[in-house]
Amino acid sequence: MANAQHGDRAAWFQGGCAQCSGTGAAPLRAWRMLLLGAPGIGKGTQAEYISAYTGACHLSTGDVFRFAKNSGGCLTPSMQSALEFMKRGELVPDSVVIDMVRERVRCIACGHGFLLDGFPRTVEQAIALDALLTEAGVQLDAVLSFDLDEEKVIARLSGRRTCPTCKRTYHITGNPPKVAGICDHDGAALIQREDDRPEAIAVRLRAYHKQTAPLIDYYAAKGLLHSINADGNPEAVFGRAREVLGSLVPVG
Ligand code: AP5
């Protein structure tokens, strides 16, 4: 979704030499953060709030894959294979994801800061990100790690509906649109993501526990981890995230 602070995020979605348009002035303080947590816990939802609050660009690797799929252009063989992994709920191979983020290192170095959502997802990706941060000459301020019981996570994923146009997400009961099935923002008919089918959800949760959960220890050891209870409505969860942000000393 475009946002007043960082325009259309074309550099992230398209890579290459695409330039973001509609970007306002860089904020006085650029926040550089990661969002960690199980699939469906509400990272994308919180990213909208945190992004509006800090001005940091919301950079989701899942959104890049979905953008490529829906853009109608010719897909490279590695992107075609990535979309097959994604449909099944499996993680895309590290080499593909790392190359994709490396091509977008401008977004890591950007003066607006960033809120990485869904990357890194393995220790190998975290090591690659460390190298990209060094290359870009920036440091992480924080890793926000969201926690919630698995049955509530599954309920969030099963009830999610997404706007195919602006990518806003809703939940049929927890965060419904004003008119059922219709995006509040642009009136498009909402859809259910392919990987929100029950069999793909089970695969995604297994991948999270095996491959992504070790990042909690990885970032705790660096002193960057902040755990946030993700129970309650989106505003309540954001209130907790805002408290964490308020307690942080700028890295510079
Ligand atoms: P990605 O798009 O990153 O998906 P994900 O991590 O599985 O996360 P989701 O987008 O499904 O959930 P979310 O936590 O953002 O929750 P949301 O805010 O939407 O990745 C998709 C796939 O791409 C991966 O499976 C993999 O194949 C591939 N991929 C991407 N990055 C990769 C990487 N780095 N390495 C390898 N593969 C990669 O919320 C969910 C629902 O809950 C919504 O309906 C929402 O309205 C509702 N909700 C949110 N908060 C609340 C609340 N507080 N109360 C009630 N309802 C709520």
Side-chain angles (χ1 to χ4, degrees), residues 154-212:
I154 293 171
R156 284 186 185 179
L157 278 174
S158 318
R160 172 166 53 193
R161 298 294 180 270
T162 307
C163 173
T165 308
C166 72
K167 317 299 176 210
R168 272 192 173 78
T169 56
Y170 299 87
H171 189 274
I172 50 175
T173 55
N175 181 23
K178 293 188 181 93
V179 177
I182 303 293
C183 178
D184 293 345
H185 184 66
D186 54 29
L190 302 178
I191 56 167
Q192 184 168 32
R193 264 171 49 177
E194 270 180 333
D195 58 352
D196 284 345
R197 290 169 295 111
E199 57 277 24
I201 289 175
V203 175
R204 287 162 71 196
L205 287 170
R206 274 200 301 276
Y208 171 75
H209 289 300
K210 190 167 169 208
Q211 293 164 275
T212 309

Side-chain angles (χ1 to χ4, degrees), residues 209-234:
H209 289 300
K210 190 167 169 208
Q211 293 164 275
T212 309
L215 293 181
I216 294 172
D217 288 343
Y218 184 89
Y219 287 112
K222 288 177 180 282
L224 289 168
L225 193 84
H226 299 269
S227 296
I228 297 174
N229 173 3
D231 206 357
N233 63 35

Side-chain angles (χ1 to χ4, degrees), residues 24-188:
L28 288 176
R29 174 178 179 184
W31 289 85
R32 299 183 174 93
M33 294 179 283
L34 311 184
L35 302 184
L36 266 188
I41 203 162
K43 301 181 297 296
T45 302
Q46 290 306 310
E48 283 186 31
Y49 286 88
I50 298 169
S51 195
Y53 182 66
T54 61
C57 297
H58 175 203
L59 307 180
S60 153
T61 37
D63 280 350
V64 175
F65 293 129
R66 284 184 286 276
F67 177 84
K69 182 180 168 206
N70 298 329
S71 64
C74 186
L75 295 177
T76 61
S78 74
M79 186 56 84
Q80 277 173 355
S81 126
L83 294 175
E84 287 304 313
F85 279 98
M86 195 173 164
K87 191 171 167 183
R88 292 193 296 269
E90 293 168 26
L91 292 191
V92 174
D94 284 334
S95 58
V96 174
V97 183
I98 291 168
D99 283 351
M100 191 180 85
V101 176
R102 194 177 285 130
E103 281 167 16
R104 290 162 173 77
V105 69
R106 282 183 302 149
C107 297
I108 304 292
C110 176
H112 286 80
F114 60 77
L115 194 52
L116 271 171
D117 166 8
F119 181 86
R121 250 183 166 98
T122 64
V123 171
E124 187 170 342
Q125 292 179 20
I127 293 167
L129 176 62
D130 288 343
L132 287 175
L133 291 167
T134 304
E135 186 185 321
V138 297
Q139 292 178 54
L140 285 179
D141 291 289
V143 175
L144 307 182
S145 173
F146 294 93
D147 301 320
L148 187 66
D149 290 346
E150 189 149 307
E151 64 195 47
K152 291 184 180 171
V153 166
I154 293 171
R156 284 186 185 179
L157 278 174
S158 318
R160 172 166 53 193
R161 298 294 180 270
T162 307
C163 173
T165 308
C166 72
K167 317 299 176 210
R168 272 192 173 78
T169 56
Y170 299 87
H171 189 274
I172 50 175
T173 55
N175 181 23
K178 293 188 181 93
V179 177
I182 303 293
C183 178
D184 293 345
H185 184 66
D186 54 29

